[in-house]
Amino acid sequence: MQEQRVEILYNEPVSSRYFRLGLKWKTSVIVPGHFVMLRVSDGLDPLLRRPFGVYKVLNAKGRDKLKGDGIELIYQVVGKGTGILSGKTPGEVLSVLGPLGNGFPVPHPSQDIVMIAGGMGIVPLYLFASTIKRGSLLFGARGKAQTLVAKDFKALGLKVRFATEDGSLGHKGYVTDLLSGAITPGTIVYACGPAPMLKKAAEICAKEGAQCYVSLERAMACGIGVCLGCAVKASAHNERENKNYVMVCSDGPVFESALIDWDRI
Amino acid sequence: MQEQRVEILYNEPVSSRYFRLGLKWKTSVIVPGHFVMLRVSDGLDPLLRRPFGVYKVLNAKGRDKLKGDGIELIYQVVGKGTGILSGKTPGEVLSVLGPLGNGFPVPHPSQDIVMIAGGMGIVPLYLFASTIKRGSLLFGARGKAQTLVAKDFKALGLKVRFATEDGSLGHKGYVTDLLSGAITPGTIVYACGPAPMLKKAAEICAKEGAQCYVSLERAMACGIGVCLGCAVKASAHNERENKNYVMVCSDGPVFESALIDWDRI
Amino acid sequence: MKKTKENPLAIVVAGIRLKNPVMTASGTFGYGSEFMPYTDLSKLGGIVVKGLSLKPRQGNPSPRIVETPCGMLNAIGLQNVGVEAFITDKLPKLKGVDTAVVANIFGETVDEYIEVAKRLDDTEGVSALEINISCPNVKKGGIVFGTDPFEAARVVSAVKKATRLPVITKLSPNVTDIRVMAKAVEDAGTDAVSLINTITGMVIDIEKRRPVLATSTGGLSGPAIRPIAVRMVWQVSQAVRVPIIGMGGIMSAKDALEFIIAGASAVQVGTANFVDPDISVKVVSGIAEYVERHGTTVKDLVGSLTTG
Amino acid sequence: MKKTKENPLAIVVAGIRLKNPVMTASGTFGYGSEFMPYTDLSKLGGIVVKGLSLKPRQGNPSPRIVETPCGMLNAIGLQNVGVEAFITDKLPKLKGVDTAVVANIFGETVDEYIEVAKRLDDTEGVSALEINISCPNVKKGGIVFGTDPFEAARVVSAVKKATRLPVITKLSPNVTDIRVMAKAVEDAGTDAVSLINTITGMVIDIEKRRPVLATSTGGLSGPAIRPIAVRMVWQVSQAVRVPIIGMGGIMSAKDALEFIIAGASAVQVGTANFVDPDISVKVVSGIAEYVERHGTTVKDLVGSLTTG
Ligand SMILES: Cc1cc2nc3c(=O)[nH]c(=O)nc-3n(C[C@H](O)[C@H](O)[C@H](O)COP(=O)(O)OP(=O)(O)OC[C@H]3O[C@@H](n4cnc5c(N)ncnc54)[C@H](O)[C@@H]3O)c2cc1C
Ligand SMILES: Cc1cc2nc3c(=O)[nH]c(=O)nc-3n(C[C@H](O)[C@H](O)[C@H](O)COP(=O)(O)OP(=O)(O)OC[C@H]3O[C@@H](n4cnc5c(N)ncnc54)[C@H](O)[C@@H]3O)c2cc1C
Ligand SMILES: Cc1cc2nc3c(=O)[nH]c(=O)nc-3n(C[C@H](O)[C@H](O)[C@H](O)COP(=O)(O)O)c2cc1C
Ligand SMILES: Cc1cc2nc3c(=O)[nH]c(=O)nc-3n(C[C@H](O)[C@H](O)[C@H](O)COP(=O)(O)O)c2cc1C
Ligand code: FES
Ligand code: FES
């Protein structure tokens, strides 16, 4: 959990706006769903760390494959911080805080597993899938270019169904369109992606009686539950527990979908 | 004079804290004493450009050797901006504004020339010396390590005398200790270095009746005479011309020493 | 019926027609002509020149500037050539440049403001006056005009009487409630307000144990102050009806649009001109791109913020 | 004659003995114990906990934070567990940690301040109270206590009467003249002042044309505001005799020393804790190195600035 300075092993473009970042990492076991906070520059702008999910544990040893020589992150260049990150070269050293947060709960062996990802939401789900090694994935993306990482998924031997808004791959439309058809009341759904997608997935699961866990994203300052910046409104059910807001970084990022007030997400 | 984005040709350490920076530069003729303003990062911190003198014109062609394929700067890592600069690699592109300022005046062919440099003050004097190809240099530095660039000077065939505070090379003490002995009333002195050194040099020259030109440094924001930030107080003589302050960037950086109010430098 | 396609960037502020909402801020653009080698002045909505006083002023001792995180402090001390030399030496150089020229003026007494305003009143080539009230009021023991609503209003109504030019009053952010100041100068008859001027700050050299600036404190500008400036523009836009010119840390079209959406009819680019002397023109083209992409006009964007 | 070598970093502020002048700022360090995995709390001069109210508060809707150039805005809305849960659940976790614990308190009425203060008065493990007066005064239509010298003084004297603990009053920077506020709370009996709290700011999402924060505006913190904070500490140090605790954008020992030299007896590190949870301890060792190199003490450095 400590802050550490780790070496960059590789930082390679997957496509023009997506990069795989390999970091030396020997210290702690990663649980799928964990994230890390990277400091992209020693300067004061950008000031805050940037959160990223863990995609892979490199050269993982042992039974659960969650401790190895390094970790791989996948990031999309969207602004200042990720722009600077994309210019880093192997051998450079980054300050990393983590692993942080609570991971995905382990499913019951008898449960059917459906993973549903939108865009970069694929990241924590891949690590989860590579541990659990069963279930199927529904993957929504803007277009074909963004589905590159899905190759890794297929290599795991998991069934992957695509949805693209432009119809360039798989179903034309939203990935949540595929969800009702893929679940039954016993299914456990793991979802990660943009808020509207998660909201829709939560609704569908509630309707179909499936269990649903979502991994949320929120602008973060500290990543460790102290700034109270990454709050999301808890559902009325949770309000009775006297927790009106939950913190994505320390209470999450993975939540049971019923705990979230989806109207105020 | 325009802002341009130029490619880094090389950025090599001379010693641990000094770097030679080669930049592609085909556009404009450089006059010795000119400086450029570099933007070390596209981010907002550091916000302002950093001023650096021009040390060399690379592959210079033609009579006056002042137009070539590139320019070389030498910089010392002293803070945030120069720290970032030292991490840049060949092929990266920098935004450069320049050449800026007014260079050293050309001496009369009959005049004896003495150059006196302290630390990084060597930079503009080297370009001057490599054009004028005569005279002698008095070079003051903290210790032996900082005198590396003096090799280039010797290669020009000029006489160099050193002064180091720790006595590790040449005279033990201040470089200005050597000045009285090196000049006569007809000499023209070109000085660049820290303010106390310049002040002392100006005093000695005034006393000995030698002409003296100094190249000043001052924190700069714009480099083009509009922010009025780099002001230095003019001497009483200049006050009569209704110029109480002169701007180092646009009125200088080279000034006749009598124009400066050395008590308020 | 013919429908002339109007310039979607054009905006009228205090009766001044600007071809686009981007002006350069006083003190960061000299007298304008210094930027001719670096940028195309005719592409700018307007130029606000360095603050002018009745007599030339030599300014403060040096050091006058110091960089700060994402900003800078300046204590130039309002050095300027004086209104006379401006009219005879500087203004003629802008002849033929197709942009609005605004003269920023200041004084140490109300009378001085009046005299500078009068001198500029019959000067060709000046589109408006911008009154800098962030100046020490010598008669009031150095308290700045701009932090006292009564004194600010006094200056504004005096200048209004002394000139036929539109008057923009430039507000200081160093106040508890900038709406109070804005209302005071609106009531005094200003045609527009511009904000924000710099925020007082200080940097200390810990080795010398002295302030870096010769005057101890200076004015903070640059992107560091932008969130404060946007907030103040938004507050003022809800308090007054006169148009607002917003500024403080604008480095890009995105930043400028924050001010416009918050309620500014036009913006001024300041410190950024030091970083890139062509940046103001880049802000213009960025705004043009945004307006085009959203099929809107600057006029419609002004104050288009939805809150709550 | 034996001369005991004293700790050159030690300082007494408002009767609290600090082993060094570095504290953590309220709202940026949770209730302290959250940082145990990341840093050694016993190396800190003190910890100021998240602002406490009489009842638990749920805080503001989300988004609550946004990054700005060299800073951030927050609108947490003073979410906290309430004074009761602090005493029973949070404070015991700091038992055995060798550092001063300061409880930051606030209320929406003077009575609420009094009740929180009273509840903490007989609590073991609390060294002092810090009163946050940057809170909306519900009885005065939401005007914050901290921008009105009379209201601020009312809070301070009420709290002073309600507690035997030393009282530190935390000043808001959103005022025309912070010296007036400092003097008002000094006269009301505060044992020390701390400054600055955040400066109100706003960031707009230009695509949505909405403020990024759910509450529209938030408080600006981080290195962007440091020059303003240093200036205010210096001004206050010339206006009052009570000790000053300085803060605003401290990221390093160098920054902390600016505040101390300007007149602060101690400093608080805020936003920087988010960037590096061990940074406050690094500030301590940097100050130790400076004090050693200069053969001086923190006590002698306080207010050692030479101007003019
Ligand atoms: C728990 C968690 C895990 C994440 N995992 C990944 C991942 O594996 N791969 C990946 O590419 N991204 C991930 N993100 C998102 C990533 O943190 C942001 O894309 C990144 O911080 C943007 O930084 P920037 O400086 O480039 O963008 P900025 O310049 O800061 O902003 C650019 C745009 O991105 C938005 N943005 C900024 N910060 C965030 C944020 N924290 N969350 C969402 N949007 C943001 C801004 O609103 C703006 O529109 C994750 C976020 C969280 C909270
Ligand atoms: C006309 C001119 C020509 C110059 N030529 C050279 C050169 O050829 N090689 C070279 O190494 N340096 C040169 N300098 C100095 C160089 O500009 C500064 O060292 C540089 O700006 C420091 O940037 P920084 O961000 O690393 O330091 P900062 O983090 O900004 O400051 C570190 C330290 O350097 C001091 N400093 C900052 N800016 C300046 C400045 N402009 N002048 C003097 N001291 C400053 C600060 O007070 C501080 O003590 C020149 C300066 C001028 C004005
Ligand atoms: C070096 C400098 C000089 C300035 N001089 C003046 C001036 O003469 N008159 C004035 O009204 N404002 C002056 N200002 C304030 C700017 O016009 C502007 O209000 C302020 O810098 C905020 O904008 P910015 O952050 O874009 O720079 C000056 C600012 C700087 C940085
Ligand atoms: C997320 C956050 C929460 C804060 N909460 C409080 C608080 O509860 N009470 C208080 O007095 N100050 C609070 N502050 C203000 C800080 O204590 C401090 O005064 C301010 O952030 C300036 O210091 P900095 O720039 O080092 O952060 C908070 C600041 C931040 C960033
Ligand atoms: S990011 Fe600070 S509490 Fe979650
Ligand atoms: S640096 Fe701006 S006038 Fe010289």
Side-chain angles (χ1 to χ4, degrees):
Chain A
M1 235 154 92
Q2 296 289 340
E3 184 267 341
Q4 39 188 314
R5 295 188 71 85
V6 302
E7 199 185 312
I8 296 178
L9 299 171
Y10 52 86
N11 187 24
E12 289 159 5
V14 179
S15 71
S16 63
R17 290 176 55 224
Y18 297 82
F19 284 74
R20 293 179 187 258
L21 175 67
L23 299 172
K24 231 182 214 167
W25 192 271
K26 300 195 167 178
T27 39
S28 31
V29 167
I30 307 280
V31 170
H34 270 165
F35 67 99
V36 295
M37 298 280 284
L38 296 189
R39 193 164 176 197
V40 299
S41 131
D42 288 337
L44 300 176
D45 186 60
L47 182 65
L48 302 171
R49 288 171 186 273
R50 298 293 190 257
F52 297 97
V54 178
Y55 182 70
K56 241 185 214 174
V57 176
L58 302 173
N59 309 321
K61 286 172 273 267
R63 219 175 34 174
D64 53 6
K65 305 251 176 196
L66 290 170
K67 185 150 165 47
D69 288 342
I71 56 176
E72 180 177 296
L73 319 179
I74 299 199
Y75 64 92
Q76 180 182 1
V77 176
V78 298
K80 183 148 60 176
T82 47
I84 293 175
L85 196 56
S86 69
K88 302 271 173 191
T89 48
E92 284 189 71
V93 160
L94 288 179
S95 162
V96 185
L97 193 68
L100 301 167
N102 302 298
F104 294 106
V106 177
H108 191 275
S110 71
Q111 276 184 298
D112 268 351
I113 300 172
V114 172
M115 290 161 272
I116 176 165
M120 295 313 294
I122 195 70
V123 170
L125 289 176
Y126 175 74
L127 186 63
F128 179 70
S130 66
T131 333
I132 226 72
K133 290 218 175 83
R134 59 192 189 87
S136 65
L137 172 74
L138 309 176
F139 187 13
R142 273 279 168 77
K144 209 170 167 179
Q146 288 168 35
T147 60
L148 278 174
V149 288
K151 274 195 287 186
D152 286 351
F153 251 94
K154 286 194 177 154
L156 290 175
L158 300 193
K159 210 181 88 190
V160 182
R161 287 195 59 196
F162 292 101
T164 49
E165 280 171 50
D166 61 3
S168 59
L169 190 67
H171 171 73
K172 178 173 170 149
Y174 294 122
V175 66
T176 43
D177 301 344
L178 304 173
L179 191 58
S180 325
I183 60 176
T184 61
T187 312
I188 180 165
V189 173
Y190 297 90
C192 188
M197 180 206 109
L198 297 180
K199 182 180 178 178
K200 188 80 199 164
E203 279 166 15
I204 294 170
C205 290
K207 211 172 107 205
E208 307 279 339
Q211 246 187 308
C212 180
Y213 288 91
V214 295
S215 178
L216 297 182
E217 289 194 8
R218 208 82 188 162
M220 291 182 175
C222 71
I224 58 173
V226 296
C227 75
L228 309 180
C230 64
V232 297
K233 190 97 174 73
S235 60
H237 152 238
N238 206 7
E239 225 159 300
R240 284 195 298 274
E241 293 177 21
N242 203 356
K243 260 206 158 179
N244 292 298
Y245 286 97
V246 288
M247 296 303 138
V248 170
C249 68
S250 52
D251 296 323
V254 177
F255 295 95
E256 203 183 333
S257 68
L259 285 181
I260 303 303
D261 179 348
W262 292 103
D263 292 331
R264 301 198 212 159
I265 194 77
Chain B
M1 226 151 101
Q2 296 288 340
E3 186 267 342
Q4 39 187 316
R5 295 187 72 85
V6 301
E7 199 186 314
I8 296 178
L9 298 171
Y10 52 87
N11 187 23
E12 290 158 4
V14 179
S15 71
S16 62
R17 290 175 55 225
Y18 297 81
F19 285 73
R20 293 179 187 255
L21 175 67
L23 299 173
K24 233 181 213 168
W25 191 271
K26 300 195 172 182
T27 39
S28 31
V29 166
I30 308 278
V31 170
H34 270 165
F35 68 97
V36 295
M37 298 280 285
L38 295 189
R39 193 161 175 199
V40 298
S41 130
D42 287 337
L44 299 177
D45 186 61
L47 182 65
L48 302 172
R49 289 172 185 271
R50 298 294 191 257
F52 297 96
V54 178
Y55 181 69
K56 238 185 217 175
V57 176
L58 303 173
N59 309 321
K61 286 174 273 267
R63 218 176 34 172
D64 53 5
K65 304 251 176 195
L66 291 170
K67 184 150 166 50
D69 287 341
I71 56 177
E72 181 177 296
L73 318 180
I74 299 198
Y75 63 92
Q76 180 182 1
V77 176
V78 298
K80 183 147 61 176
T82 46
I84 294 175
L85 196 57
S86 69
K88 301 272 172 190
T89 47
E92 283 190 71
V93 160
L94 288 179
S95 161
V96 184
L97 192 67
L100 300 167
N102 302 298
F104 294 105
V106 178
H108 191 274
S110 71
Q111 278 184 299
D112 267 351
I113 301 172
V114 172
M115 290 161 272
I116 176 165
M120 294 313 295
I122 194 71
V123 171
L125 289 177
Y126 176 74
L127 187 62
F128 177 70
S130 66
T131 332
I132 226 72
K133 292 217 175 83
R134 59 191 189 88
S136 66
L137 171 74
L138 310 176
F139 187 13
R142 271 281 167 78
K144 207 169 167 178
Q146 288 168 35
T147 60
L148 278 173
V149 288
K151 274 195 285 186
D152 287 349
F153 251 94
K154 285 193 178 156
L156 290 176
L158 300 194
K159 210 180 89 191
V160 182
R161 287 195 60 196
F162 294 101
T164 50
E165 280 172 49
D166 60 4
S168 59
L169 190 67
H171 171 73
K172 178 172 171 149
Y174 294 122
V175 66
T176 42
D177 301 346
L178 306 172
L179 191 58
S180 325
I183 59 176
T184 60
T187 312
I188 180 165
V189 173
Y190 296 89
C192 188
M197 180 205 108
L198 297 180
K199 181 178 177 181
K200 189 79 198 165
E203 278 167 14
I204 294 170
C205 289
K207 212 173 107 204
E208 307 280 339
Q211 245 188 309
C212 180
Y213 288 91
V214 295
S215 179
L216 297 182
E217 289 193 9
R218 208 81 188 165
M220 291 183 176
C222 71
I224 58 174
V226 296
C227 74
L228 309 180
C230 64
V232 296
K233 191 97 174 74
S235 59
H237 150 240
N238 207 7
E239 224 159 300
R240 283 195 300 272
E241 293 177 21
N242 204 358
K243 259 206 158 178
N244 293 299
Y245 286 98
V246 288
M247 297 303 139
V248 170
C249 68
S250 52
D251 297 322
V254 177
F255 294 95
E256 203 184 331
S257 68
L259 286 181
I260 304 301
D261 180 347
W262 291 103
D263 291 331
R264 301 197 212 159
I265 196 73
Chain C
M1 250 169 58
K2 212 180 72 179
K3 193 161 179 276
T4 328
K5 196 171 173 323
E6 282 184 30
N7 171 4
L9 300 186
I11 189 97
V12 177
V13 182
I16 329 160
R17 259 161 215 291
L18 303 176
K19 69 170 89 164
N20 67 59
V22 182
M23 314 173 83
T24 55
S26 179
T28 67
F29 213 68
Y31 302 101
S33 54
E34 296 92 325
F35 279 77
M36 285 177 174
Y38 304 105
T39 195
D40 183 351
L41 300 182
S42 293
K43 290 197 174 143
L44 297 172
I47 292 172
V48 185
V49 301
K50 177 73 192 157
L52 300 168
S53 49
L54 195 56
K55 299 263 166 291
R57 276 174 68 116
Q58 64 164 347
N60 285 332
S62 187
R64 292 176 169 186
I65 55 169
V66 58
E67 200 182 52
T68 68
C70 292
M72 65 178 282
L73 291 184
N74 89 79
I76 306 303
L78 296 165
Q79 174 176 346
N80 77 98
V81 297
V83 67
E84 214 47 60
F86 169 70
I87 294 171
T88 54
D89 302 345
K90 305 296 182 182
L91 194 56
K93 293 187 184 158
L94 296 176
K95 211 161 192 166
V97 176
D98 178 22
T99 195
V101 176
V102 174
N104 179 285
I105 65 168
F106 70 95
E108 288 181 345
T109 61
V110 175
D111 285 343
E112 218 182 303
Y113 278 100
I114 294 174
E115 290 200 55
V116 184
K118 278 200 179 137
R119 185 65 192 86
L120 288 162
D121 192 39
D122 45 10
T123 304
E124 216 196 292
V126 173
S127 299
L129 301 182
E130 181 179 61
I131 323 183
N132 177 2
I133 54 173
S134 301
C135 300
N137 180 337
V138 287
K139 292 222 175 128
K140 290 262 171 177
I143 279 263
V144 293
F145 286 102
T147 58
D148 179 335
F150 180 74
E151 290 298 308
R154 265 212 321 141
V155 172
V156 172
S157 47
V159 170
K160 268 303 281 184
K161 273 182 217 126
T163 186
R164 285 158 301 175
L165 288 170
V167 168
I168 303 159
T169 307
K170 183 161 177 182
L171 302 178
S172 164
N174 297 302
V175 294
T176 306
D177 189 344
I178 196 157
R179 287 168 294 203
V180 173
M181 297 302 305
K183 270 188 265 181
V185 298
E186 177 178 55
D187 291 345
T190 196
D191 299 295
V193 290
S194 60
L195 59 151
I196 60 175
N197 214 315
T198 56
I199 306 177
T200 311
M202 186 177 197
V203 172
I204 290 170
D205 181 327
I206 64 163
E207 296 302 326
K208 296 188 186 144
R209 293 179 209 158
R210 300 186 71 98
V212 171
L213 298 180
T215 49
S216 296
T217 63
L220 182 63
S221 65
I225 67 169
R226 192 170 62 233
I228 303 170
V230 171
R231 180 261 294 183
M232 289 186 167
V233 164
W234 178 63
Q235 287 182 316
V236 168
S237 79
Q238 293 173 303
V240 300
R241 271 148 296 132
V242 291
I244 298 167
I245 302 173
M247 83 195 85
I250 295 176
M251 298 293 294
S252 68
K254 185 179 155 296
D255 303 343
L257 286 159
E258 282 197 52
F259 283 91
I260 292 170
I261 293 167
S265 298
V267 296
Q268 291 179 16
V269 178
T271 303
N273 293 304
F274 304 152
V275 178
D276 175 358
D278 188 41
I279 207 163
S280 301
V281 167
K282 287 175 185 149
V283 171
V284 174
S285 38
I287 294 176
E289 186 274 323
Y290 178 95
V291 161
E292 162 100 39
R293 180 159 53 85
H294 288 268
T296 182
T297 63
V298 166
K299 220 173 132 207
D300 284 341
L301 284 173
V302 174
S304 60
L305 188 75
T306 309
T307 56
Chain D
M1 251 170 57
K2 210 178 73 178
K3 192 159 179 278
T4 328
K5 197 173 171 321
E6 282 184 30
N7 171 4
L9 300 185
I11 190 98
V12 178
V13 181
I16 329 159
R17 259 163 215 290
L18 303 176
K19 68 170 89 161
N20 66 60
V22 182
M23 315 173 83
T24 56
S26 179
T28 66
F29 213 67
Y31 302 101
S33 54
E34 296 93 326
F35 279 76
M36 284 177 174
Y38 304 105
T39 194
D40 183 352
L41 299 181
S42 294
K43 290 198 175 142
L44 296 172
I47 292 173
V48 185
V49 301
K50 178 74 193 158
L52 301 168
S53 49
L54 196 54
K55 300 262 167 289
R57 278 175 67 116
Q58 64 164 346
N60 286 332
S62 188
R64 292 176 170 188
I65 55 169
V66 58
E67 199 183 52
T68 68
C70 292
M72 65 178 281
L73 290 184
N74 89 79
I76 305 303
L78 295 165
Q79 174 177 348
N80 77 99
V81 296
V83 66
E84 214 48 60
F86 169 71
I87 293 171
T88 55
D89 301 346
K90 305 295 182 182
L91 194 55
K93 293 186 185 161
L94 295 177
K95 214 164 190 164
V97 176
D98 177 22
T99 194
V101 176
V102 175
N104 179 287
I105 65 167
F106 70 96
E108 287 180 345
T109 61
V110 175
D111 285 343
E112 218 182 303
Y113 277 101
I114 294 175
E115 290 200 55
V116 185
K118 277 198 179 139
R119 184 66 192 86
L120 288 162
D121 193 39
D122 45 10
T123 304
E124 215 196 291
V126 173
S127 300
L129 301 183
E130 181 179 61
I131 323 182
N132 177 2
I133 53 173
S134 301
C135 299
N137 180 340
V138 288
K139 294 222 174 126
K140 289 264 171 175
I143 279 261
V144 293
F145 287 102
T147 58
D148 179 333
F150 180 74
E151 290 298 308
R154 263 208 325 138
V155 173
V156 172
S157 48
V159 171
K160 267 305 279 183
K161 274 182 216 125
T163 186
R164 285 159 304 177
L165 289 170
V167 169
I168 302 159
T169 307
K170 184 161 175 181
L171 303 179
S172 164
N174 297 301
V175 294
T176 306
D177 189 345
I178 196 156
R179 287 168 294 200
V180 173
M181 298 302 305
K183 269 187 266 182
V185 299
E186 176 177 55
D187 291 346
T190 197
D191 299 294
V193 290
S194 60
L195 62 148
I196 60 174
N197 213 314
T198 56
I199 305 178
T200 311
M202 184 178 199
V203 172
I204 290 171
D205 181 327
I206 64 162
E207 297 301 327
K208 297 189 185 142
R209 293 179 209 158
R210 299 186 72 98
V212 171
L213 297 180
T215 49
S216 296
T217 62
L220 183 63
S221 65
I225 67 170
R226 193 171 61 233
I228 303 170
V230 171
R231 181 260 297 183
M232 289 185 167
V233 164
W234 178 64
Q235 287 182 317
V236 168
S237 78
Q238 293 173 302
V240 300
R241 268 148 299 130
V242 291
I244 298 167
I245 302 173
M247 82 195 84
I250 295 176
M251 300 291 296
S252 68
K254 186 181 154 295
D255 302 343
L257 286 159
E258 283 196 53
F259 283 91
I260 292 170
I261 293 167
S265 298
V267 296
Q268 291 179 16
V269 178
T271 303
N273 293 304
F274 304 152
V275 178
D276 175 358
D278 187 41
I279 207 162
S280 302
V281 168
K282 288 176 186 148
V283 171
V284 175
S285 37
I287 294 175
E289 185 272 325
Y290 178 95
V291 161
E292 162 101 37
R293 181 159 52 86
H294 288 267
T296 182
T297 64
V298 166
K299 220 174 132 207
D300 284 340
L301 284 174
V302 174
S304 61
L305 188 75
T306 310
T307 56

